[in-house]
């Protein structure tokens, strides 16, 4: 029996390298590509839900309806506690989603090529636009609020094949089920389309776009800081790849932990907040394209690090719980041949093997790892280094020795020294100057702290059992008074950020997994920007910050249905503070993190604070 083989977009013989996936705002500004993209999505929606290349079937690979896709696994494997194919909480989280995005992109691109043939005016340009079209990504670390064309416009304007500008129903707003699959539990069995932040479980519930925007905006700084720290401080695969406990000493969030927060913020108590139905929402693929993009940036910064062996968690349709996983594990259900599947090694070279790239890599010689690492490092600083810039500027302004060191670094020129690449970015020198030497070599990590510009980085670390609350939820971190009304928590001036838990709300799965080891998740909220803005201390030094945090650090649990959860109902919750020395070393682009100190005394004795195991 034949099946769909994942090839990615076929190579274009007229191009030496594949076109990049574009950020969604840039794609919208491209009249031809946006018009083709919208029409291609419409065709995928119109494809009968029984067909493997339909939006429904492709979305269903991730979770419900818990049925085989393209003949992979006649039934759920014994010993698995989740019926979808997706791998969450394991070392395969980044790599499994890569061929998943590729098959969606492959189908989308095929439709775009067929649609382009219908254009009779300027036909060559339309065909070229279709060849270049790739699935867009939404860079939520730069701008946490998607454009209106993704979240609020019921109609969008495109150029139709007859050359006329035409208003059409917006497929990015929601996916209309046709029909609602009988496998869906309540409330999903009531909702005819995907929803974001619905206020009720009734069949006619609308999305609450304003609340979604409010949640995303409240987390913008936390998302950006977490992304920067992920890309600059995490250098082991287990710590990078997934949200299970083990940060490798980085005191930084994993890629999956950051990803989880976007799901919760976008979904509320709608589809995106539940892994079993999240992939039906069209924004899922924009979100995951950015997750994959961050994975490629991390690859560039850590070119010799790849998937290491790890233990599976609750299992999937084809993988039993606790199954060991590594680079050779089949990324089912993604066929790469008549009888074989993609694995993590196969998809490591995304550009050559799957036919796409990202704007940050355009024009780079990917074979030159040193040059690629330098160029990508400069771009990471430019895009996401704002929080670190402010922290170092704060420390420099309040510590003469640091200020002098910073001035010395900034006084050097990119042509003569590598250190200014970091100094210019972190001490607010214009981006153009920093990009003058994108090929500057990057210093490797050093076992010792540097002399010169240093300060203490303060982070709240959160451990919690993801099944303890019974649905997706967030552990919110505050510095200062917390409002009594939970509806005001996200908008409170004292709110800093959160560790978000993205989980299947199935009561049966919660019960089966509640006491398993893999239920523990880990997240981090970086505190320095909030300390600088709110404390009035003029210092990050431990002798002044520790008493402040002991007095002002607070946390609450908020469910996606907007209700609060008493801390006593989550006995696994443990919030502690980590103090990590950050320093610039000679020739480094990013600050070097020393060994973090766990400040147990700050939260000890409080509900959900530090407690001995």
């Amino acid at each position: 029996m034949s099946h769909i083989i994942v090839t990615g977009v076929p190579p274009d013989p007229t191009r030496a390298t594949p076109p990049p996936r574009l950020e969604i705002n840039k794609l919208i500004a491209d009249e031809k590509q946006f018009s083709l993209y919208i029409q291609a999505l419409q065709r995928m929606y119109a494809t009968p839900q029984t067909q493997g290349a339909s939006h429904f079937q492709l979305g269903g690979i991730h979770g419900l309806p818990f049925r085989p896709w393209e003949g992979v696994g006649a039934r759920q494997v014994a010993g698995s506690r989740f019926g979808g194919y997706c791998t969450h909480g394991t070392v395969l989280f980044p790599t499994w989603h890569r061929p998943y995005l590729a098959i969606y992109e492959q189908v989308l691109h095929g439709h775009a090529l067929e649609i382009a043939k219908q254009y009779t005016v300027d036909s060559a340009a339309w065909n070229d636009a279709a060849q270049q079209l790739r699935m867009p990504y939404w860079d939520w670390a730069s701008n946490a609020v998607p454009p209106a064309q993704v979240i609020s416009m019921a109609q969008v304007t495109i150029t139709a094949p007859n050359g006329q500008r035409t208003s059409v129903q917006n497929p990015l707003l929601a996916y209309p089920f046709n029909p609602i699959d009988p496998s869906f539990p309540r409330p999903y069995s009531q909702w005819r389309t995907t929803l974001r932040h619905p206020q009720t479980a009734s069949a006619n519930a609308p999305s609450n776009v304003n609340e979604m925007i409010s949640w995303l905006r409240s987390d913008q700084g936390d998302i950006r800081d977490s992304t920067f720290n992920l890309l600059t401080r995490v250098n082991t695969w287990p710590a990078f790849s997934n949200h299970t406990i083990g940060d490798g000493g980085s005191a930084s969030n994993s890629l999956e932990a950051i990803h989880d927060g976007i799901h919760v913020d976008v979904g509320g108590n709608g589809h995106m907040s539940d892994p079993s139905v999240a992939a039906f929402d069209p924004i899922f693929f924009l979100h995951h394209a950015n997750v994959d993009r961050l994975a490629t940036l991390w690859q560039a910064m850590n070119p010799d690090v790849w998937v290491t062996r790890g233990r599976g968690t609750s299992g999937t349709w084809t993988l039993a719980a606790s199954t060991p996983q590594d680079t050779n594990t089949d990324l089912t259900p993604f066929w790469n041949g008549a009888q074989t599947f993609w694995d993590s090694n196969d998809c490591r070279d995304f550009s050559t093997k799957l036919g796409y790239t990202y704007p940050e890599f355009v024009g780079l010689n990917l074979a030159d790892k040193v040059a690629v690492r330098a160029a990508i490092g400069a771009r990471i600083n430019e895009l996401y280094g704002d929080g670190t810039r402010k922290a170092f500027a704060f420390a420099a302004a309040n510590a003469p020795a640091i200020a002098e060191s910073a001035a010395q670094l900034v006084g050097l020129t990119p042509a003569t020294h590598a250190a200014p690449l970091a100094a210019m970015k972190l001490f607010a020198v214009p981006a153009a100057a920093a990009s003058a030497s994108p090929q500057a070599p990057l210093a490797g990590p050093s076992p010792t702290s540097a002399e010169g510009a240093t300060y203490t980085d303060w982070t709240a670390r959160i451990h919690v059992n993801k099944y303890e609350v019974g649905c997706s939820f967030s552990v919110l971190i505050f510095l200062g008074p917390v409002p009594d009304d939970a509806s005001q928590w996200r908008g409170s001036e004292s709110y800093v950020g959160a560790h978000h838990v993205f989980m299947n709300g199935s009561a049966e799965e919660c019960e089966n997994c509640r006491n398993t080891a893999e239920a523990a998740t880990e997240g981090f909220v970086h505190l320095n920007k909030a300390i600088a803005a709110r404390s009035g201390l003029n210092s990050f030094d431990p002798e002044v910050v520790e008493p402040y945090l002991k007095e002002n650090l607070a946390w609450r649990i908020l469910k996606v249905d907007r209700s609060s959860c008493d801390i006593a109902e989550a006995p696994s919750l443990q919030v502690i503070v980590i103090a990590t020395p950050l320093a610039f070393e000679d020739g480094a682009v990013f600050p070097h993190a020393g060994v973090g100190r766990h400040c147990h005394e700050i939260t000890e004795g409080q509900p959900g604070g530090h407690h001995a195991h």
Side-chain angles (χ1 to χ4, degrees):
M1 182 173 120
S2 62
H3 45 248
I4 297 175
I5 294 176
V6 181
T7 61
V9 176
D12 180 353
T14 67
R15 290 183 172 87
T17 57
R21 291 174 175 171
L22 299 180
E23 207 280 329
I24 183 61
N25 287 279
K26 188 168 183 179
L27 183 92
I28 289 169
D30 187 314
E31 176 191 341
K32 290 183 172 60
Q33 288 204 36
F34 183 63
S35 297
L36 293 170
Y37 175 56
I38 292 296
Q39 293 174 89
L41 284 177
Q42 290 174 331
R43 285 198 175 194
M44 293 179 74
Y45 288 11
T47 303
Q49 291 187 171
T50 55
Q51 296 186 18
S54 66
H55 175 86
F56 178 82
Q57 288 266 330
L58 293 172
I61 290 172
H62 198 265
L64 285 167
F66 300 161
R67 291 197 290 267
W69 183 77
E70 293 297 293
V72 181
R75 61 186 58 84
Q76 185 173 342
V77 68
S80 168
R81 292 185 289 270
F82 180 64
Y85 290 100
C86 66
T87 57
H88 285 268
T90 85
V91 295
L92 298 184
F93 167 76
T95 55
W96 183 89
H97 286 83
R98 188 162 283 181
Y100 186 28
L101 293 174
I103 182 57
Y104 197 91
E105 184 171 62
Q106 177 181 324
V107 173
L108 183 84
H109 185 263
H111 284 303
L113 290 177
E114 292 301 314
I115 294 164
K117 294 176 183 177
Q118 300 174 9
Y119 286 78
T120 55
V121 177
D122 205 11
S123 57
W126 282 98
N127 285 319
D128 185 64
Q131 284 287 354
Q132 293 191 59
L133 180 65
R134 298 295 186 271
M135 185 164 53
Y137 65 92
W138 161 37
D139 182 7
W140 27 254
S142 289
N143 187 351
V145 179
Q149 290 87 343
V150 175
I151 59 174
S152 60
M153 294 174 62
Q155 302 275 316
V156 290
T157 301
I158 64 169
T159 300
N162 62 7
Q164 299 299 308
R165 296 290 284 169
T166 307
S167 181
V168 299
Q169 188 171 349
N170 183 9
L172 289 169
L173 200 60
Y175 171 68
F177 296 100
N178 185 28
I180 299 173
D181 195 87
S183 69
F184 285 13
R186 292 179 68 92
Y188 310 116
S189 60
Q190 306 300 302
W191 296 332
R192 297 206 62 82
T193 71
T194 54
L195 294 175
R196 302 161 189 164
H197 285 255
Q199 301 298 292
T200 72
S202 65
N204 60 353
S207 293
N208 186 338
V209 178
N210 289 335
E211 183 178 78
M212 180 184 70
I213 291 173
S214 174
W215 283 25
L216 286 164
R217 281 181 176 159
S218 72
D219 276 341
Q220 176 70 85
D222 190 33
I223 294 167
R224 184 178 294 133
D225 290 350
S226 292
T227 300
F228 181 76
N229 284 294
L230 169 77
L231 296 173
T232 62
R233 286 168 59 171
V234 179
N235 53 32
T236 67
W237 186 264
F240 164 75
S241 63
N242 69 92
H243 59 215
T244 53
I245 291 177
D247 66 320
S250 66
S252 301
N253 279 307
S254 66
L255 178 67
E256 186 178 19
I258 301 171
H259 143 278
D260 292 348
I262 303 300
H263 272 282
V264 170
D265 281 354
V266 170
N269 58 333
H271 293 77
M272 269 287 280
S273 287
D274 188 328
S276 67
V277 292
F280 296 118
D281 189 326
I283 204 172
F284 173 96
F285 291 95
L286 278 70
H287 166 41
H288 269 274
N290 195 51
V291 172
D292 182 72
R293 169 176 161 270
L294 295 181
T296 66
L297 299 182
W298 191 87
Q299 281 183 250
M301 299 306 298
N302 302 273
D304 299 320
V305 182
W306 195 234
V307 179
T308 53
R309 189 174 180 83
R311 187 172 61 88
T313 53
S314 57
T316 71
W317 183 263
T318 51
L319 294 172
S322 303
T323 302
Q325 300 173 356
D326 58 25
T327 54
N328 299 311
T329 301
D330 287 341
L331 302 178
T332 49
F334 307 117
W335 299 98
N336 68 355
Q339 298 181 0
T340 57
F341 299 98
W342 286 86
D343 64 30
S344 298
N345 283 328
D346 294 331
C347 62
R348 186 173 187 175
D349 182 357
F350 54 92
S351 178
T352 302
K353 295 291 185 67
L354 289 170
Y356 70 91
T357 188
Y358 291 102
E360 290 83 1
F361 295 93
V362 172
L364 300 181
N365 176 10
L366 299 185
D368 188 341
K369 293 181 181 179
V370 173
V372 169
R373 189 166 182 256
I376 297 302
R379 186 61 175 150
I380 290 169
N381 263 329
E382 183 180 350
L383 287 171
Y384 309 128
D386 175 69
T388 303
R389 281 198 297 272
K390 289 179 178 177
F392 264 93
F394 174 85
N398 292 285
I402 296 175
E404 182 180 353
S405 174
Q408 290 172 354
L409 287 174
V410 173
L412 299 173
T413 63
T416 60
H417 207 280
L421 187 61
M424 289 179 184
K425 301 310 296 179
L426 294 168
F427 292 92
V429 172
S435 62
S437 182
Q439 307 303 321
L442 296 182
S446 167
T448 60
S449 296
E451 296 180 0
T454 63
Y455 76 93
T456 301
D457 183 61
W458 296 93
T459 310
R461 190 202 72 186
I462 301 100
H463 284 178
V464 67
N465 181 316
K466 66 182 176 182
Y467 299 106
E468 210 152 53
V469 174
C471 62
S472 292
F473 64 96
S474 304
V475 179
L476 310 183
I477 300 296
F478 301 86
L479 280 180
V482 180
D484 293 331
D485 185 352
S487 68
Q488 298 177 17
W489 287 351
R490 287 292 199 121
S492 167
E493 289 185 2
S494 60
Y495 175 61
V496 180
H499 169 51
H500 303 279
V501 176
F502 171 52
M503 60 154 289
N504 181 1
S506 163
E508 180 181 358
E509 181 185 336
C510 291
E511 188 60 35
N512 289 342
C513 296
R514 190 179 300 275
N515 297 314
T516 57
E518 68 267 16
T521 66
E522 179 176 69
F524 299 85
V525 174
H526 300 278
L527 304 175
N528 281 59
K529 219 163 31 171
I531 292 170
R534 301 167 194 171
S535 69
L537 296 178
N538 297 322
S539 174
F540 291 137
D541 291 345
E543 59 267 23
V544 293
V545 171
E546 287 188 35
Y548 169 78
L549 292 178
K550 192 167 186 176
E551 179 74 21
N552 291 278
L553 184 67
W555 48 90
R556 300 287 189 274
I557 298 176
L558 185 68
K559 300 179 183 180
V560 288
D561 66 1
R562 304 164 203 84
S563 66
S564 61
C565 174
D566 193 288
I567 300 295
E569 296 177 26
S572 70
L573 177 63
Q574 186 170 193
V575 178
I576 72 165
V577 172
I578 301 175
T580 306
L582 286 189
F584 266 118
E585 297 175 354
D586 189 36
V589 170
F590 303 121
H592 169 66
V595 177
R597 177 173 59 89
H598 291 198
C599 306
H600 294 153
E601 64 281 359
I602 291 176
T603 62
E604 199 162 28
Q606 301 184 54
H610 170 69
H611 50 81
H613 291 289

